[in-house]
Amino acid sequence: MAGRAVGNLLGLAVLSYLSQRPMHPYELSRAMRDHGDARSIKFSHGSLYMVFQQLAKAGFIVEQETVRQGQRPERTVYALTDQGRLELGDWLRELVAEPAHEYPRFVAALALIAALDPSEVVELLTERRQRLAAQHADIRRLIDDTVAAGIHPLFLVEEEYRLALLDADQAFVARFIERIDNDWGPMWAAFHRQGEAGQP
């Protein structure tokens, strides 16, 4: 995404929704919430309006008209430009085909985890496994309920990906606990005690 005129993934969502039909920001925000996109893309009304401005400045969207319904304030409807449609396709292709290095919080914790006592780490990892299992059950229920309501599974593929990540996370945590219990525990505990003894 480096070098893009708009690099915020919320911008990609806006381009995608506007590829279906012109909308004003409030309508698009409501559609994103209705479709559960807030689970995948972080946004607020303020950030959404800012992204609309950035996309318009880049020439990806354009004001189409201003509308007013009843006593509500005027709202500006935006439409996707040809340049915006090209950007949408190019950006999506990049995200799908090119793995990007990310910085998840858990990976940061793992990089520094030797600072904790291994017995405490086992307790924390056990708690994590329970929470991962609960999240897995929630997502599975969401998928099953949504499909039962007649929504095609294609529109839930990001939830299937979340399930796969949760499965991998749970498997990693189980192996990590096993290694602490069987191999690493004594060495780690000695290392931790040595670190504590070296503190002033």
Side-chain angles (χ1 to χ4, degrees):
M1 285 180 288
R4 293 199 177 279
V6 179
N8 184 335
L9 288 175
L10 181 54
L12 180 66
V14 170
L15 295 177
S16 178
Y17 272 88
L18 292 183
S19 72
Q20 300 168 27
R21 62 182 169 82
M23 296 185 205
H24 54 73
Y26 181 79
E27 179 184 12
L28 194 143
S29 172
R30 193 175 61 234
M32 286 184 68
R33 292 188 194 284
D34 289 348
H35 294 146
D37 291 323
R39 289 174 50 81
S40 304
I41 300 169
K42 184 177 180 180
F43 73 97
S44 65
H45 288 300
S47 63
L48 186 62
Y49 279 92
M50 184 180 302
V51 164
F52 264 85
Q53 292 173 0
Q54 293 169 344
L55 291 170
K57 184 177 180 182
F60 298 145
I61 63 175
V62 65
E63 293 183 12
Q64 185 179 62
E65 63 178 331
T66 301
V67 296
R68 180 193 292 272
Q69 293 179 337
Q71 299 297 322
R72 295 179 179 169
E74 287 187 345
R75 301 190 193 276
T76 302
V77 175
Y78 290 84
L80 192 65
T81 64
D82 289 341
Q83 185 181 354
R85 194 171 299 280
L86 290 173
E87 176 70 2
L88 169 63
D90 184 55
W91 197 350
L92 271 175
R93 289 182 191 97
E94 175 188 304
L95 290 177
V96 172
E98 299 176 20
H101 184 75
E102 298 174 357
Y103 298 89
R105 292 167 19 136
F106 186 49
V107 173
L110 290 173
L112 306 169
I113 203 161
L116 295 175
D117 183 272
S119 60
E120 181 184 9
V121 170
V122 169
E123 292 176 10
L124 294 169
L125 290 172
T126 300
E127 182 180 342
R128 181 180 183 87
R129 283 181 74 184
Q130 294 167 351
R131 292 182 176 184
L132 290 170
Q135 289 177 15
H136 193 285
D138 288 344
I139 293 173
R140 182 77 264 164
R141 193 176 310 110
L142 170 68
I143 292 172
D144 293 344
D145 291 349
T146 306
V147 170
I151 305 298
H152 193 281
L154 169 64
F155 300 105
L156 297 165
V157 69
E158 74 278 14
E159 301 298 343
E160 294 284 356
Y161 180 67
R162 283 195 182 94
L163 284 183
L165 292 178
L166 288 171
D167 288 340
D169 198 332
Q170 290 181 83
F172 172 83
V173 168
R175 286 194 307 272
F176 193 15
I177 291 172
E178 185 178 335
R179 293 172 93 174
I180 295 170
D181 287 342
N182 296 333
D183 303 321
W184 294 356
M187 177 274 299
W188 186 345
F191 173 80
H192 183 69
R193 284 194 300 271
Q194 181 181 6
E196 287 187 327
Q199 290 181 1

